[in-house]
């Protein structure tokens, strides 16, 4: 079967440390029938990335750089889709590593399965103690809540996939990526596909490797954004894609409510040692203690479980990793509720991408 030409689309911004190795790995890919081009949608990088892209373009004309003046990922993807000349598009990300036959296999899987979108499980790999622990958390079912696209052994129909491979004409039918969503634009697109009767498919032939954040601050900011933009996705589609998306926000919201209630009733009960305020203070104290004890047990169970598999040296840091993933997502989720539902803001407040 003659394969159509392929366009590889890549969002990029300030990736001077990684873009050279990434492009070397892409150019080393097994050439699919019809060949491929690489479109780098660069968010006006100012760290030397653009010089490297110019250098690679001179070496290999398959590499093209286009500007993404809006700076964020969904704009980058949409600019690249519009500029693509291939009939099939494959999305790659600079911070990931792909097997040498990834592009060719993506096309084969797309055609063989008849799916509308295909991708594969992503395997997180750290480069030091902290990022190894983050990678463990990234793959843990107790962190990601049973999401199948984190399951490195699952193959079949799925709600969302990492990256993606599509016929270009699909975007004419269902629309491009939602440019409001600095985060979660891929989840929202796959949700849109599923709800329009399209098939999203995960294949074990398309495994890739992802390097997670190596800083707790960066991890916190990243997952706070994921939680924040999840509200916009829920608002757009009228209901969540999965109940697991509601759990962190519910826990953090409940904890904040009972903490504030505890402080208020403590102040009021100080005036009078007995009576309804004192009883309400004791009730809030009991509920908050029970809630955090249950969460501590959950985190410790998950940390012991993952340390048994990956090494006991990670036990001291994993509770912090678990809490960072979940609390940051929950706080972002509540901020999204405030902005989009309570204040009815039309545009997101977290437009700037954090790395």
């Amino acid at each position: 079967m003659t394969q159509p030409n392929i366009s590889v689309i890549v969002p990029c911004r300030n990736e001077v440390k990684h873009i050279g190795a990434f492009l070397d790995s892409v150019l080393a890919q097994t050439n699919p029938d019809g060949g491929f081009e690489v479109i780098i949608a660069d968010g006006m990088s100012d760290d030397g990335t653009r010089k490297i892209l110019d250098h690679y373009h001179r070496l290999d004309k398959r590499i093209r750089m286009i500007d993404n003046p809006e700076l964020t990922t969904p704009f980058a993807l949409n600019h690249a889709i519009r500029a693509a000349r291939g009939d099939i598009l494959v999305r790659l990300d600079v911070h990931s590593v792909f097997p040498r036959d990834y592009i060719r296999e993506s096309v084969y899987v797309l055609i063989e399965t008849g799916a509308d979108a295909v991708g594969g499980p992503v395997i997180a790999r750290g480069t030091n103690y902290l990022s190894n622990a983050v990678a463990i958390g990234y793959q843990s079912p107790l962190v990601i809540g049973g999401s199948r696209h984190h399951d490195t052994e699952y193959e079949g129909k799925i709600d969302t996939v990492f990256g993606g491979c599509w016929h270009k004409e699909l975007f004419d039918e269902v629309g491009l990526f939602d440019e409001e969503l600095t985060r979660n634009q891929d989840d929202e697109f796959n949700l849109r596909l599923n709800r329009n009767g399209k098939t999203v498919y995960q294949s074990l032939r398309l495994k890739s490797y992802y390097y997670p954040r190596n800083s707790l601050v960066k991890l916190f900011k990243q997952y706070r954004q994921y939680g924040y933009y999840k509200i916009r996705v829920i608002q757009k589609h009228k209901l969540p894609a999965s109940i697991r998306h509601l759990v962190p926000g519910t826990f953090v919201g409940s904890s904040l409510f009972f903490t504030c209630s505890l402080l208020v009733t403590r102040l009021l009960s100080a005036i009078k040692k007995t009576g309804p305020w004192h009883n309400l203070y004791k009730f809030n104290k009991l509920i908050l203690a029970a809630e955090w004890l249950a969460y501590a047990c959950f985190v410790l169970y998950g940390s012991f479980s993952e340390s048994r598999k990956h090494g006991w040296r990670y036990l001291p840091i994993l509770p912090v990793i678990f809490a960072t993933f979940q609390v940051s997502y929950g706080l972002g989720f509540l901020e999204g509720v405030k902005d989009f539902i309570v204040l009815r803001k039309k545009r997101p407040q977290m437009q700037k991408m954090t790395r």
Side-chain angles (χ1 to χ4, degrees):
M1 181 181 295
T2 302
Q3 304 295 335
N5 291 331
I6 316 303
S7 292
V8 175
I9 60 173
V10 185
C12 172
R13 184 167 187 264
N14 287 342
E15 297 286 4
V16 69
K17 293 180 180 179
H18 305 283
I19 191 65
F22 170 77
L23 289 174
D24 287 339
S25 69
V26 173
L27 295 177
Q29 287 278 312
T30 303
N31 207 33
D33 294 341
F36 67 90
E37 64 175 350
V38 183
I39 303 173
I40 310 288
D42 181 68
M44 318 311 292
S45 295
D46 55 11
D47 66 342
T49 297
R50 293 172 76 88
K51 290 182 180 180
I52 297 174
L53 290 172
D54 286 337
H55 170 72
Y56 272 86
H57 173 70
R58 290 193 298 270
L59 292 177
D60 195 317
K61 298 303 180 185
R62 290 179 296 175
I63 296 175
R64 290 196 288 146
M65 180 183 70
I66 62 174
D67 288 341
N68 173 30
E70 296 85 2
L71 309 184
T72 63
T73 299
F75 279 101
L77 292 171
N78 290 344
H79 288 319
I81 290 166
R82 294 187 186 102
R85 294 176 291 200
D87 295 324
I88 289 181
L89 310 179
V90 179
R91 175 185 173 178
L92 301 183
D93 285 315
V94 176
H95 278 255
S96 298
V97 175
F98 302 89
R100 289 175 63 93
D101 60 351
Y102 185 87
I103 295 174
R104 186 180 66 177
E105 285 298 310
S106 294
V107 177
Y108 286 163
V109 170
L110 184 69
I111 294 172
E112 290 168 9
T113 62
D116 298 283
V118 300
V122 59
I123 301 169
R125 284 180 169 175
T127 56
N128 55 29
Y129 177 76
L130 179 60
S131 60
N132 282 336
V134 174
I136 292 169
Y138 182 85
Q139 303 286 175
S140 172
L142 294 175
V143 169
I144 50 88
S147 175
R148 283 180 165 176
H149 85 279
H150 286 258
D151 185 346
T152 59
E153 301 303 322
Y154 174 77
E155 176 156 354
K157 292 182 180 180
I158 199 168
D159 56 350
T160 189
V161 286
F162 176 78
C165 176
W166 323 270
H167 291 282
K168 187 178 181 183
E169 63 189 18
L170 177 68
F171 294 92
D172 296 326
E173 184 178 350
V174 300
L176 297 169
F177 289 94
D178 188 333
E179 293 171 346
E180 278 191 12
L181 303 176
T182 300
R183 299 285 187 193
N184 297 328
Q185 72 283 149
D186 47 354
D187 286 350
E188 189 279 330
F189 180 74
N190 287 309
L191 177 60
R192 207 186 322 153
L193 291 181
N194 279 296
R195 293 191 173 163
N196 279 278
K198 305 298 183 182
T199 301
V200 182
Y201 189 89
Q202 177 165 289
S203 171
L204 295 180
R205 290 156 60 185
L206 303 180
K207 288 184 178 180
S208 59
Y209 302 90
Y210 164 71
Y211 291 104
R213 300 298 188 269
N214 58 5
S215 157
L216 288 177
V217 172
K218 291 179 179 179
L219 182 68
F220 187 94
K221 289 180 178 179
Q222 179 190 18
Y223 274 80
R224 176 170 161 254
Q225 284 190 333
Y226 282 140
Y228 181 81
Y229 286 102
K230 185 58 69 176
I231 287 294
R232 190 68 187 94
V233 175
I234 293 172
Q235 191 178 47
K236 180 176 179 179
H237 291 276
K238 310 303 181 188
L239 73 165
S242 171
I243 195 68
R244 69 175 182 270
H245 297 144
L246 306 179
V247 174
T250 301
F251 167 72
V252 174
S254 172
S255 295
L256 289 175
F257 172 81
F258 282 108
T259 298
C260 292
S261 181
L262 182 73
L263 294 174
V264 171
T265 53
R266 178 70 183 92
L267 179 62
L268 293 172
S269 67
I271 300 172
K272 191 173 183 181
K273 298 297 183 182
T274 61
W277 292 119
H278 185 67
N279 292 335
L280 190 54
Y281 164 71
K282 290 194 293 183
F283 173 77
N284 288 328
K285 188 175 181 180
L286 178 65
I287 293 296
L288 195 61
E291 192 172 53
W292 278 100
L293 178 61
Y295 182 68
C297 290
F298 170 82
V299 167
L300 289 173
Y301 169 77
S303 300
F304 271 93
S305 177
E306 296 299 334
S307 296
R308 244 170 67 179
K309 291 187 287 186
H310 299 284
W312 291 108
R313 68 193 184 102
Y314 294 109
L315 182 58
I317 191 66
L318 281 179
V320 180
I321 299 296
F322 272 62
T324 301
F325 272 109
Q326 293 156 350
V327 173
S328 61
Y329 187 100
L331 285 172
F333 192 92
L334 294 178
E335 288 182 72
V337 170
K338 172 181 69 72
D339 282 353
F340 296 122
I341 297 177
V342 177
L343 301 180
R344 299 182 180 276
K345 292 183 179 179
K346 300 297 184 182
R347 299 293 297 174
Q349 298 302 300
M350 295 187 188
Q351 283 293 309
K352 186 177 179 181
M353 194 72 160
T354 58
R355 293 219 58 87

